[in-house]
Amino acid sequence: MGDSELLAHLLGLLAEGEITRENAELLAAAGGLRRALGEVTSPPKHARRPLQVGGEETSRTFWTRGGLVYENRPLGGAGRFRPAAGSEEGAGMGEETRTGEGGAAAPSNFIKEIVQADVAAGKHGGRVHTRFPPEPNGYLHIGHAKSICLNFGLAEELGGRCNLRMDDTNPVKEEQEYIDAIVEDVRWLGFSWGDRLFYASDYFGQLYDWAVQLIRAGKAYVDDLSAEEIRQYRGTLTEPGRESPYRDRTAEENLALFERMRAGEFPDGSRVLRAKIDMASGNLNLRDPVMYRILHAAHPRTGDAWCIYPMYDWAHGQSDSLEGITHSICTLEFEDHRPLYDWFVRELGIFAPRQIEFARLNLTYTVMSKRRLLQLVKEGPVAGWDDPRMPTLSGLRRRGYTPAAVRDFCTRIGVAKRDSTVDLALLEHCVRDDLNRTAPRRMAVLRPLKVVIENYPEGRTEELEAVNNPEDPGAGTRKVPFSRVLYIEQEDFREDAPPKYFRLTPGREVRLRYAYFVKCTGVVKDAEGRVAEVRCTYDPATLGGNAPDGRKVKATIHWVSAEHAVPAEVRLYDRLFRSENPGAGEDFLSDLNPGSLEVLGDCRLEPALAGALPGDRVQFERLGYFCCDADARPGAPVFNRTVTLKDQWSKIEGGRKG
RNA sequence: UGGGGCGUAGACAAGCGGUAAGUCACCGGAUUUUGAUUCCGGCAAUCGGAGGUUCGAAUCCUCCCGCCCCAGCCA
């Protein structure tokens, strides 16, 4: 192309409105004119070329894309580039696009992109259908929440459906209790599966028929090898396996044997049905995987109807197929199984879902494997699956976590294929964030220290007004009784105050929240010399918490009127493990945090808390968020600490000590 | 030594050939009747390493290094 042709082309683009006059001029002026215009003619995939504008000290760079010319320049945070001035695209691109309206849309991830691409390509008629398929052999944990949010969230967002399916193919491990707990937990998280609660066991009959089909096609056989022999024949990671001597039985023979397996004629472990694939495959899953094993065990749903049970690989893909699942999302360790998943579906000639794998969640300071969680429950360091220190959904619920906080956490951690361990601090941030907006504030003294206000009349009580939630004016106010004898937190008084300590100390004035300024005049000690009582005077002019003369105090502390206080038990929970990765050593139990639970039996709550119901969540001012436990009885509240408030002072003091 | 994956700040994570988003954590500073919240500011000369392709590479190619998963008749 000569220069004149290029010019003609440029003018053509200009005429068609593909580029602006200004851009055309820039192009013409640019040193790389020839090459750039060449690209504009038919922009190949990776062919954006910058044009250095000669002579300008700012050295502005431009590049072309789809016939448009863009200028490369920083946008101060919002976006990195914008179309060059005057470009038609200018109106539609730039900062607006990034910010979008409506605020926080669910972030995208590689799975969503795959699904969206499939929808755009018209696969399955643009249908999206996912499923969450737990095995009912334990309680759901926060890692499952990631999967639940992914599967149900994707369906919701893309106008599809998501099934809940119990992957109940191994009766020796599964229990109805777990099924019930799973249903409750998914519902609690806020997702619904309509009438689509399924069980892999629903498909036992179909699976059996399909197995017969494979046997007839010569693709499956009954193997008499023992478990040990099968293992030996399988070979190793680096050596190919050997074919079983029973591999070439006739279809008739296999059919007869398989029927007898089903009829219960053989003992457990004596025979299996195997798929006939490739004993030399580098992928061990393809070395004639077992499809059925003999298990004379009662199944929670099918009872004694079966004594042969399908293996995961034989059941899962076919269940997905039967339910019309378009995208079968699972964790990374199943990546190796995908070829087998695809093989079964292909050999059967049935609807083929697409399996996509993502990295499972790991969280610092806890363990996530069901094996270890079970061990914690069985061996007793924890009170049960719903112990508030457990990462189970039932544990988090009892701890006081909200479904919204868990969901928020799941969207913030993202979805990728990288093995990662998320900082517990992020989960805690999510609850604080939610509870800060929604939890009513109350005053509670966990470790009481008696305070007597010497100049306050005995027998007098005032009802002071306190705001329920400064973040939510709609939450209104409540009355809190004030009287001569109060309790404050032991840590809010120090006879010898260290530097930076703003709280009560002899001679210092502080504010009692929503009440008065009080000044410490002295202490009363017990026989051992410990401070048993703090003496104060109050300034009546500071009612409500402000001094008419404008004087300030450095601290505001919470309190409870002794006479009106409600005694309560409060359970302080902390991380279950002392190390970030308790799984590092094999003996994860040795990493248990001995201080993961502290029970305080002598707490005093403001009267508004007397009628707290299990599940009620509140903020104890200055202390943290707490949730009324199911152990609470009328007149005897029990609270669990969900999470502390962020605490600058503990850092200052901790730093001084360290 | 086989097969399958993954390597971007302390922790997650965008990025999909145009010159390193965001969040948490952390560190300031402002406001504050929660040492909370909120706000504002700081925090990666560089994407595991080395070569190569290209005007231009975290993005493409090659080799190397590291980590994870697989030898259940578990899921």
Side-chain angles (χ1 to χ4, degrees):
Chain A
M1 229 193 255
D3 277 2
S4 56
E5 284 175 276
L6 290 176
L7 210 53
H9 178 70
L10 200 53
L11 290 170
L13 288 175
L14 192 56
E16 289 159 25
E18 291 288 310
I19 59 175
T20 62
R21 161 131 235 123
E22 185 184 347
N23 282 331
E25 285 167 2
L26 280 168
L27 272 173
L33 171 74
R34 179 187 313 253
R35 197 155 27 175
L37 281 183
E39 302 301 348
V40 170
T41 313
S42 54
K45 183 115 170 70
H46 304 297
R48 289 177 230 161
R49 304 253 163 183
L51 303 178
Q52 210 74 35
V53 178
E56 280 198 31
E57 48 190 345
T58 47
S59 91
R60 304 163 67 189
T61 44
F62 300 82
W63 73 91
T64 60
R65 181 182 218 166
L68 291 171
V69 181
Y70 292 89
E71 177 171 5
N72 168 6
R73 69 184 174 210
L75 261 192
R80 278 168 299 162
F81 307 101
R82 65 156 73 111
S87 164
E88 280 297 317
E89 288 277 307
M93 291 181 66
E95 300 93 322
E96 303 295 325
T97 322
R98 299 182 80 83
T99 350
E101 316 101 67
S108 195
N109 59 63
F110 79 99
I111 294 181
K112 191 188 290 184
E113 285 177 9
I114 290 173
V115 176
Q116 285 172 324
D118 284 349
V119 169
K123 267 193 192 168
H124 312 304
R127 201 166 54 82
V128 174
H129 205 329
T130 57
R131 105 266 91 118
F132 171 62
E135 180 190 15
N137 67 342
Y139 279 62
L140 260 26
H141 52 64
I142 182 93
H144 291 107
K146 178 179 182 182
S147 175
I148 294 167
C149 291
L150 215 206
N151 279 294
F152 281 94
L154 219 43
E156 254 170 38
E157 192 176 343
L158 303 181
R161 295 168 183 279
C162 181
N163 297 353
L164 175 57
R165 181 171 73 233
M166 301 296 163
D167 217 348
D168 56 349
T169 57
N170 185 357
V172 317
K173 286 192 173 178
E174 297 147 9
E175 294 173 22
Q176 187 61 42
E177 176 197 347
Y178 297 136
I179 293 176
D180 298 339
I182 288 167
V183 165
E184 182 186 0
D185 289 345
V186 178
R187 195 170 277 146
W188 175 75
L189 252 195
F191 295 104
S192 79
W193 49 87
D195 57 356
R196 300 179 312 283
L197 167 57
F198 300 121
Y199 296 81
S201 55
D202 294 342
Y203 314 129
F204 282 175
Q206 176 63 258
L207 255 13
Y208 181 86
D209 292 345
W210 274 336
V212 168
Q213 181 185 329
L214 250 32
I215 292 172
R216 289 216 168 93
K219 303 285 189 179
Y221 63 98
V222 172
D223 196 345
D224 299 1
L225 252 28
S226 68
E228 171 62 20
E229 289 166 324
I230 286 184
R231 190 169 64 75
Q232 285 167 356
Y233 273 73
R234 184 154 33 227
T236 68
L237 294 179
T238 52
E239 301 158 18
R242 283 147 44 220
E243 297 186 348
S244 165
Y246 303 96
R247 198 175 198 255
D248 294 315
R249 291 215 252 231
T250 63
E252 292 65 38
E253 200 179 347
N254 281 319
L255 239 25
L257 250 13
F258 187 48
E259 270 166 29
R260 293 174 61 196
M261 277 171 64
R262 180 192 180 170
E265 292 187 30
F266 308 122
D268 288 5
S270 59
R271 276 174 239 260
V272 292
L273 182 72
R274 294 229 251 169
K276 192 188 287 188
I277 307 181
D278 177 10
M279 288 307 291
S281 173
N283 182 344
L284 299 247
N285 293 117
L286 264 19
R287 321 245 260 227
D288 290 10
V290 172
M291 294 166 63
Y292 274 101
R293 75 287 217 177
I294 301 173
L295 242 35
H296 290 271
H299 185 283
R301 294 195 49 93
T302 61
D304 295 320
W306 295 86
C307 65
I308 57 173
Y309 290 94
M311 298 288 291
Y312 164 85
D313 287 302
W314 173 239
H316 204 93
Q318 282 54 256
S319 301
D320 284 342
S321 180
L322 250 7
E323 292 175 19
I325 300 303
T326 57
H327 301 270
S328 179
I329 301 167
C330 61
T331 43
L332 252 28
E333 66 270 27
F334 292 104
E335 235 156 358
D336 286 346
H337 294 242
R338 188 174 356 113
L340 179 54
Y341 184 111
D342 294 340
W343 189 87
F344 280 134
V345 150
R346 190 179 342 112
E347 293 299 329
L348 257 15
I350 57 179
F351 176 79
R354 173 172 185 176
Q355 177 180 305
I356 308 170
E357 312 84 9
F358 71 98
R360 66 182 331 137
L361 170 69
N362 292 296
L363 243 198
T364 55
Y365 300 105
T366 192
V367 291
M368 213 70 97
S369 80
K370 275 190 191 168
R371 191 198 114 231
R372 285 175 165 156
L373 294 178
L374 217 209
Q375 199 178 338
L376 286 169
V377 172
K378 288 262 152 77
E379 295 181 19
V382 119
W385 287 100
D386 69 343
D387 186 292
R389 291 165 293 180
M390 291 285 273
T392 52
L393 295 182
S394 50
L396 290 168
R397 176 166 62 234
R398 192 163 181 185
R399 177 85 170 249
Y401 274 74
T402 59
V406 175
R407 277 188 260 113
D408 182 35
F409 173 74
C410 289
T411 98
R412 284 173 186 252
I413 59 178
V415 178
K417 298 191 71 163
R418 192 178 326 172
D419 286 310
S420 59
T421 302
V422 177
D423 196 336
L424 217 215
L426 181 59
L427 216 211
E428 295 184 335
H429 171 265
C430 292
V431 236
R432 288 195 186 103
D433 194 41
D434 188 29
L435 261 15
N436 175 49
R437 288 189 301 261
T438 58
R441 270 100 242 238
R442 294 290 183 265
M443 290 200 284
V445 174
L446 268 26
R447 296 179 179 86
L449 173 59
K450 192 187 208 177
V451 172
V452 176
I453 301 171
E454 297 169 322
N455 59 340
Y456 195 86
E458 292 202 44
R460 179 173 168 192
T461 297
E462 284 180 274
E463 295 287 327
L464 304 178
E465 187 157 58
V467 171
N468 282 329
N469 186 345
E471 305 294 320
D472 176 13
T477 61
R478 68 187 185 284
K479 297 291 190 186
V480 184
F482 182 86
S483 63
R484 185 168 195 265
V485 181
L486 314 170
Y487 288 114
I488 64 167
E489 213 65 63
Q490 283 172 22
E491 62 179 22
D492 285 339
F493 174 81
R494 285 275 245 284
E495 199 172 7
D496 299 301
K500 297 280 201 67
Y501 185 85
F502 303 151
R503 283 109 100 149
L504 203 58
T505 191
R508 178 133 86 209
E509 188 172 53
V510 301
R511 172 165 40 229
L512 293 177
R513 178 138 235 226
Y514 298 124
Y516 297 98
F517 282 12
V518 292
K519 180 183 258 182
C520 176
T521 55
V523 300
V524 174
K525 296 191 176 179
D526 62 16
E528 284 88 56
R530 290 186 305 242
V531 176
E533 184 179 313
V534 175
R535 309 292 291 191
C536 289
T537 55
Y538 85 114
D539 177 357
T542 59
L543 175 62
N546 282 309
D549 63 6
R551 73 180 190 279
K552 303 285 185 202
V553 289
K554 295 273 274 185
T556 299
I557 64 178
H558 61 278
W559 52 273
V560 170
S561 165
E563 183 192 336
H564 307 88
V566 177
E569 174 177 314
V570 174
R571 301 166 181 170
L572 266 22
Y573 292 101
D574 196 0
R575 43 191 62 151
L576 224 203
F577 293 91
R578 59 189 5 156
S579 72
E580 268 194 32
N581 179 9
E586 203 23 56
D587 183 21
F588 75 106
L589 292 177
S590 67
D591 278 339
L592 280 166
N593 171 11
S596 63
L597 169 60
E598 185 178 2
V599 179
L600 267 20
D602 187 33
C603 307
R604 307 302 162 97
L605 315 180
E606 66 163 272
L609 253 10
L613 265 19
D616 283 355
R617 301 181 186 94
V618 295
Q619 181 196 97
F620 287 171
E621 294 229 23
R622 303 208 306 129
L623 298 174
Y625 296 96
F626 292 75
C627 181
C628 185
D629 191 82
D631 289 345
R633 293 288 168 267
V638 175
F639 278 90
N640 296 327
R641 182 173 69 195
T642 308
V643 67
T644 61
L645 254 29
K646 289 225 279 189
D647 183 2
Q648 201 61 38
W649 167 242
S650 72
K651 278 180 196 160
I652 296 170
E653 200 180 32
R656 273 167 17 91
K657 281 177 184 164

